[in-house]
Amino acid sequence: EARYEWYSPPQQQISAGVFYKNIKNPIEAFVSGDQTTSFANAPKADLYGVELEASKHFDLADIGSGGDSLTARRLAVQANYTFSKSELKVSPNDPVAVFASSSSRADDFFRDGAPLTGQSDHVVNLEVGLENPERLSQQTLMVSYASKRVTSRGLPNSGQPDIFAYPGLRLDFVAREGV
């Protein structure tokens, strides 16, 4: 993993990173012929990608007048993006232990090159909020996006397809106020 971070006052930051991980025995969900979800450890997987992040605060004191509630507030903007790819590494002779299964061959449960379960290629987050740094007062709008991902794997020899989730866009609003 390599990361570059740049900080500039007041509370501003930009960072970029690249990563590569070789994972031994990742836990994977799979669906058997009777539609039961089970879990097993795949032999290996590679995970690699890029992360970008930025945050900036904007002082709102110049916008409002002396009695205006905006004079004590600032606008906070934060965004991040992650692109990642993953691949299971399965050879014909790799062993696997699956409860109540007659097979101990990993390629009966996992396809070589398939993505890890739960892994979206694209994840984006954006936060825009008003906050008062002098006291606990924040109102934040959050927008998130995640691309499709496998949630459970169909067995290679069963004809069962992988099961996908399409998380898409999500919108949240969070407000905190000290009393």
Side-chain angles (χ1 to χ4, degrees):
E1 186 168 328
R3 177 171 292 287
Y4 172 79
E5 296 180 344
W6 178 72
Y7 296 91
S8 172
Q11 296 180 347
Q12 300 175 65
Q13 128 200 11
I14 295 174
S15 66
V18 295
F19 59 90
Y20 171 81
K21 298 175 186 204
N22 181 271
I23 305 167
K24 183 178 178 184
N25 298 323
I27 299 170
E28 289 287 291
F30 66 89
V31 178
S32 61
D34 65 355
Q35 299 300 313
T36 302
T37 298
S38 298
F39 299 88
N41 293 91
K44 292 186 264 184
D46 288 337
L47 174 65
Y48 54 93
V50 176
E51 300 172 314
L52 304 170
E53 185 172 359
S55 65
K56 174 132 175 94
H57 292 87
F58 300 92
D59 189 9
L60 299 179
D62 297 335
I63 294 175
S65 60
D68 197 316
S69 63
L70 283 181
T71 59
R73 295 190 169 275
R74 64 183 180 184
L75 178 68
V77 180
Q78 298 178 11
N80 64 42
Y81 170 73
T82 302
F83 169 77
S84 58
K85 282 288 192 182
S86 61
E87 296 178 352
L88 291 176
K89 301 294 183 184
V90 182
S91 299
N93 296 325
D94 286 337
V96 67
V98 177
F99 179 74
S101 174
S102 60
S103 176
S104 62
R105 292 176 45 126
D107 61 348
D108 284 342
F109 297 91
F110 309 108
R111 285 185 292 282
D112 186 51
L116 287 166
T117 55
Q119 180 68 45
S120 292
D121 288 351
H122 304 278
V123 177
V124 181
N125 295 294
L126 172 66
E127 294 181 21
V128 179
L130 291 173
E131 58 186 33
N132 183 334
E134 303 296 322
R135 62 186 188 92
L136 179 59
S137 178
Q138 291 179 308
Q139 300 77 38
T140 306
L141 184 63
M142 296 176 284
V143 181
S144 300
Y145 170 79
S147 61
K148 83 174 188 176
R149 58 182 168 234
V150 175
T151 57
S152 207
R153 188 162 318 292
L155 296 178
N157 301 324
S158 72
Q160 294 283 10
D162 289 344
I163 299 170
F164 291 91
Y166 296 84
L169 281 172
R170 180 178 172 152
L171 182 64
D172 290 302
F173 179 75
V174 176
R176 297 187 327 164
E177 195 68 40
V179 291

XYZ file of all heavy atoms in Angstrom, residues 50-56 76-83 120-129 140-147 149 167-172:
307
model
N -7.455 1.808 -6.083
C -7.051 3.196 -5.890
C -8.084 3.879 -4.999
O -9.285 3.641 -5.140
C -6.997 3.938 -7.246
C -6.686 5.410 -7.068
C -6.015 3.292 -8.188
N -7.608 4.732 -4.084
C -8.490 5.525 -3.226
C -8.137 7.002 -3.378
O -6.956 7.352 -3.391
C -8.293 5.149 -1.753
C -8.584 3.710 -1.438
C -8.192 3.345 -0.018
O -7.075 3.721 0.413
O -9.000 2.700 0.655
N -9.145 7.855 -3.465
C -8.963 9.304 -3.510
C -9.879 9.931 -2.473
O -11.026 9.506 -2.320
C -9.314 9.853 -4.895
C -8.571 9.244 -6.083
C -9.190 9.696 -7.385
C -7.101 9.608 -6.021
N -9.383 10.948 -1.775
C -10.187 11.586 -0.731
C -9.820 13.064 -0.625
O -8.661 13.438 -0.799
C -9.936 10.907 0.610
C -10.813 11.419 1.720
C -10.670 10.600 2.989
O -9.905 9.629 3.017
O -11.342 10.962 3.965
N -10.821 13.894 -0.330
C -10.586 15.325 -0.135
C -11.595 15.862 0.872
O -12.723 15.379 0.957
C -10.715 16.084 -1.453
N -11.159 16.851 1.639
C -12.082 17.541 2.552
C -11.688 19.012 2.629
O -10.513 19.360 2.536
C -12.075 16.905 3.943
O -10.821 17.053 4.548
N -12.700 19.856 2.767
C -12.469 21.302 2.834
C -13.569 21.931 3.664
O -14.715 21.505 3.629
C -12.467 21.897 1.426
C -12.378 23.403 1.381
C -11.353 23.868 0.414
C -11.342 25.374 0.287
N -10.404 26.024 1.123
N -18.868 22.302 5.516
C -17.899 21.204 5.458
C -18.237 20.318 4.262
O -19.382 19.890 4.102
C -17.946 20.384 6.739
N -17.244 20.076 3.416
C -17.422 19.220 2.241
C -16.345 18.140 2.273
O -15.164 18.451 2.422
C -17.311 20.036 0.930
C -17.495 19.132 -0.282
C -18.317 21.172 0.910
N -16.780 16.893 2.153
C -15.853 15.756 2.129
C -16.301 14.793 1.041
O -17.500 14.565 0.873
C -15.836 15.023 3.469
C -15.372 15.880 4.607
C -15.416 15.145 5.943
O -15.602 13.947 6.000
N -15.231 15.879 7.005
N -15.333 14.245 0.320
C -15.649 13.280 -0.735
C -14.560 12.221 -0.780
O -13.393 12.508 -0.498
C -15.758 13.985 -2.083
N -14.964 10.997 -1.119
C -13.973 9.960 -1.370
C -14.485 9.012 -2.444
O -15.687 8.884 -2.668
C -13.559 9.211 -0.094
C -14.687 8.448 0.536
O -15.482 7.802 -0.133
N -14.774 8.509 1.842
N -13.521 8.399 -3.119
C -13.811 7.454 -4.190
C -12.826 6.295 -4.080
O -11.632 6.515 -3.865
C -13.669 8.119 -5.567
C -13.711 7.133 -6.708
C -14.900 6.517 -7.073
C -12.561 6.801 -7.411
C -14.937 5.593 -8.104
C -12.593 5.881 -8.454
C -13.783 5.286 -8.799
O -13.820 4.371 -9.815
N -13.339 5.089 -4.225
C -12.489 3.903 -4.239
C -12.837 3.060 -5.454
O -14.010 2.740 -5.678
C -12.680 3.048 -2.965
O -12.388 3.837 -1.822
C -11.765 1.828 -2.983
N -11.815 2.741 -6.234
C -11.943 1.776 -7.318
C -11.152 0.554 -6.893
O -9.986 0.674 -6.496
C -11.375 2.318 -8.634
C -11.251 1.255 -9.686
C -12.367 0.821 -10.380
C -10.032 0.655 -9.951
C -12.258 -0.187 -11.330
C -9.912 -0.353 -10.888
C -11.025 -0.772 -11.586
N -17.619 -4.261 -4.258
C -18.035 -3.388 -5.356
C -16.799 -2.816 -6.035
O -15.823 -2.484 -5.367
C -18.887 -2.224 -4.831
O -20.126 -2.668 -4.349
N -16.848 -2.676 -7.355
C -15.729 -2.055 -8.075
C -15.626 -0.564 -7.772
O -14.537 -0.007 -7.729
C -15.878 -2.239 -9.584
C -15.620 -3.664 -10.046
O -15.165 -4.491 -9.225
O -15.869 -3.949 -11.223
N -16.776 0.096 -7.599
C -16.795 1.547 -7.387
C -17.576 1.887 -6.118
O -18.699 1.426 -5.949
C -17.465 2.262 -8.568
C -16.840 1.947 -9.882
N -15.714 2.577 -10.336
C -17.181 1.044 -10.844
C -15.388 2.097 -11.522
N -16.252 1.157 -11.842
N -16.971 2.715 -5.266
C -17.650 3.225 -4.070
C -17.362 4.729 -4.003
O -16.208 5.152 -4.051
C -17.153 2.534 -2.779
C -17.813 3.143 -1.555
C -17.412 1.035 -2.841
N -18.431 5.530 -3.907
C -18.307 6.986 -3.853
C -19.105 7.501 -2.663
O -20.240 7.063 -2.437
C -18.854 7.643 -5.145
C -18.711 9.156 -5.090
C -18.185 7.080 -6.383
N -18.517 8.426 -1.908
C -19.211 9.070 -0.794
C -19.009 10.577 -0.895
O -17.898 11.041 -1.149
C -18.658 8.586 0.551
C -18.917 7.117 0.765
O -20.050 6.700 0.892
N -17.859 6.326 0.782
N -20.086 11.332 -0.664
C -20.027 12.789 -0.640
C -20.815 13.267 0.566
O -21.950 12.833 0.785
C -20.628 13.386 -1.920
C -20.798 14.905 -1.942
C -19.426 15.598 -1.913
C -21.601 15.338 -3.152
N -20.183 14.140 1.364
C -20.851 14.739 2.522
C -20.785 16.254 2.387
O -19.723 16.808 2.108
C -20.156 14.351 3.824
C -20.238 12.897 4.152
C -19.562 12.567 5.468
O -19.388 13.481 6.308
O -19.197 11.402 5.656
N -21.920 16.908 2.593
C -21.996 18.364 2.603
C -22.780 18.737 3.850
O -23.901 18.256 4.048
C -22.700 18.908 1.337
C -22.797 20.421 1.392
C -21.983 18.452 0.082
N -22.176 19.584 4.691
C -22.859 19.904 5.928
C -22.527 21.277 6.472
O -21.545 21.904 6.072
N -25.789 17.382 8.259
C -25.003 16.836 7.150
C -25.872 16.018 6.211
O -26.646 15.162 6.646
C -23.864 15.937 7.682
O -23.092 16.674 8.628
C -22.965 15.465 6.554
N -25.717 16.283 4.915
C -26.357 15.515 3.867
C -25.286 14.592 3.286
O -24.202 15.049 2.917
C -26.897 16.445 2.780
C -27.685 15.804 1.654
C -28.962 15.157 2.196
C -28.020 16.837 0.596
N -25.582 13.288 3.230
C -24.611 12.305 2.740
C -25.190 11.552 1.552
O -26.315 11.053 1.628
C -24.256 11.318 3.850
C -23.562 11.987 5.023
S -23.228 10.872 6.388
C -24.841 10.729 7.115
N -24.413 11.481 0.486
C -24.787 10.739 -0.709
C -23.739 9.657 -0.910
O -22.539 9.948 -0.907
C -24.840 11.656 -1.952
C -25.247 10.868 -3.187
C -25.781 12.823 -1.723
N -24.186 8.413 -1.068
C -23.276 7.289 -1.264
C -23.693 6.511 -2.494
O -24.880 6.412 -2.816
C -23.312 6.337 -0.065
O -22.943 6.996 1.105
N -22.705 5.943 -3.154
C -22.969 5.074 -4.304
C -22.027 3.882 -4.232
O -20.839 4.029 -3.948
C -22.735 5.807 -5.634
C -22.761 4.863 -6.809
C -23.967 4.422 -7.328
C -21.588 4.378 -7.371
C -24.005 3.523 -8.386
C -21.614 3.479 -8.432
C -22.823 3.063 -8.929
O -22.860 2.174 -9.966
N -22.564 2.702 -4.501
C -21.752 1.493 -4.627
C -22.254 0.724 -5.841
O -23.466 0.572 -6.024
C -21.840 0.632 -3.368
N -21.331 0.255 -6.670
C -21.715 -0.506 -7.858
C -22.106 -1.932 -7.465
O -21.915 -2.354 -6.325
C -20.570 -0.505 -8.869
O -19.416 -1.115 -8.328
N -22.410 -5.889 -6.785
C -21.455 -6.807 -6.180
C -22.110 -8.167 -5.971
O -23.326 -8.269 -5.813
C -20.929 -6.257 -4.864
C -22.004 -5.965 -3.843
C -21.403 -5.369 -2.575
N -22.422 -4.833 -1.704
C -22.421 -3.606 -1.238
N -21.462 -2.768 -1.548
N -23.365 -3.188 -0.439
N -26.510 -2.009 -4.883
C -26.734 -0.991 -3.850
C -27.120 0.367 -4.413
O -27.964 1.050 -3.849
C -25.402 -0.912 -3.115
C -24.682 -2.159 -3.458
C -25.174 -2.575 -4.801
N -26.494 0.803 -5.497
C -26.833 2.073 -6.130
C -26.631 3.270 -5.225
O -25.723 3.300 -4.401
N -27.530 4.260 -5.362
C -27.448 5.510 -4.599
C -28.152 5.401 -3.254
O -29.182 4.731 -3.145
C -28.089 6.657 -5.374
C -27.268 7.274 -6.481
C -28.104 8.260 -7.279
C -26.032 7.956 -5.943
N -27.605 6.103 -2.291
C -28.225 6.190 -0.970
C -28.092 7.631 -0.505
O -27.037 8.250 -0.651
C -27.525 5.255 0.001
C -28.115 5.302 1.379
C -27.415 4.326 2.281
N -27.884 4.540 3.634
C -27.918 3.606 4.544
N -27.509 2.398 4.262
N -28.339 3.867 5.756
N -29.147 8.159 0.067
C -29.171 9.541 0.562
C -29.533 9.516 2.039
O -30.532 8.905 2.422
C -30.201 10.359 -0.228
C -30.339 11.817 0.109
C -29.063 12.571 -0.205
C -31.501 12.423 -0.681
N -28.711 10.153 2.866
C -28.958 10.218 4.307
C -28.806 11.655 4.780
O -28.030 12.432 4.218
C -27.937 9.365 5.078
C -28.132 7.885 4.872
O -29.232 7.396 5.170
O -27.188 7.231 4.405
